[in-house]
Amino acid sequence: MRASKPRRVTLKDVAAAARVAPATASYVINETPGQTVRPETRERVLAAVAELGYIPDANARAMRKGRARCVGVVIRKDLSVPRFAQTLQGIQARLDEAGIETMLCTNRMRSSGMADYIEAFLEHRVDGVIFLGKDNEGPDEGSLAVVRAHAIPFVIYDCQMRPGTYSSVELDYAVGACLLMERVLTAAPRHLLYLRPDIDKAQEMERERGVREAMRAHPETELRVCTVPVTLDNLSVWDARYSVGNDAKSGELTKRFVSILRQAASDLSKGDAVVASWSTWTDLFRRFCAEDGLIFGELANNGETRFAPGFYTRLPNVEVGRACAELLLRLLAGKPPEARVIQLNDIIDTVSRSGL
């Protein structure tokens, strides 16, 4: 015989245990402004809450107060990848300071025909939404139409979209790439090998634009672009190395990656440079390249590669997360939408530290 489900403790149960009216118990539990309750009465109500294990109905409270004290964060990326985990950490930290909880959403379409984060807002489960772009792609047009129609407090990050009724946070990939390249090019390498993924999204196009912009001032250096076999189709396989290591699929992809790098590196010599678009790629390069004296740089680093000599652009992931949360808090306070661009100007120089 199935055990019956325990009855949910109600506000009336708390009021009866504390020997007060339900309205008084509600004033104490919800910290209702303008209602004076004697200290001894408040203590009895709180003691009854603890003894009975009373948990307020979040949906009912949101309907009464007009606020859920919760924000939806849309992310469809592997959270074992440091960049995304660090960004989420920044969001949660800032919202927690404001007494607001975080609900993770995945942009999954529900039976209602709406994305999960849209449905969560309309059901009063979240007060606003922070949308983290997946490979520079933002919300679909249908969801944006609902955002506009319902004036949903909405912040997008890394979507490369024009400002609208929402706030946005973007990274200046081109300027960041140019700044790192200028540091690498001060050594006047004869050849510079640029490693980039086989992805033609705004992020990669902007990075390559910054690389080529820096190269214009250094005609003495020959630029060679090497496109590695990391694509949008196999990106989840590549990212899975952070969580499950090299399985059969990622192992095969790594072999193809290394094979292309070996060929590209075959005629590099001492004093030449290798700049990678993504973090950890120069580590792979060092494993098989016997030539000492190469100069290394990475346009995106989350803290994984900082021990070997080189130049690394630190991605301000935690700061980005905090900026997203801050902009959403401003929208919740009635402030107008804002577009914020964060500069990538923190270049970590481990060449000088190593004495090379």
Side-chain angles (χ1 to χ4, degrees), residues 136-152:
N136 298 138
E137 291 186 4
D140 62 273
E141 283 301 322
S143 295
L144 277 179
V146 178
V147 168
R148 289 190 290 267
H150 290 270
I152 299 176

Side-chain angles (χ1 to χ4, degrees), residues 89-115:
Q89 176 189 347
I91 292 173
Q92 288 180 311
R94 181 63 187 94
L95 292 179
D96 186 63
E97 292 170 3
I100 295 178
E101 296 181 354
T102 302
M103 175 191 293
L104 290 185
C105 304
T106 62
N107 199 22
R108 181 168 57 90
M109 298 305 293
R110 307 300 296 268
S111 58
S112 62
M114 294 183 291

Side-chain angles (χ1 to χ4, degrees), residues 71-75 88 91 95 102-106 129-130 132:
V71 164
V73 178
V74 183
I75 182 166
L88 185 59
I91 292 173
L95 292 179
T102 302
M103 175 191 293
L104 290 185
C105 304
T106 62
V129 176
I130 297 173
L132 306 183

Side-chain angles (χ1 to χ4, degrees), residues 200-212:
D200 287 326
K201 289 289 185 177
Q203 172 180 305
E204 295 309 322
M205 291 189 287
E206 285 296 291
R207 280 181 176 150
E208 186 167 339
R209 183 167 70 85
V211 167
R212 294 186 180 278

Side-chain angles (χ1 to χ4, degrees), residues 13-31:
D13 295 329
V14 173
R19 304 186 306 280
V20 298
T24 302
S26 176
Y27 296 153
V28 173
I29 293 169
N30 295 304
E31 300 178 349

Side-chain angles (χ1 to χ4, degrees), residues 308-327:
F311 299 93
Y312 308 101
T313 300
R314 184 187 72 85
L315 290 181
N317 301 318
V318 174
E319 296 94 320
V320 162
R322 293 185 66 88
C324 289
E326 185 64 40
L327 289 183

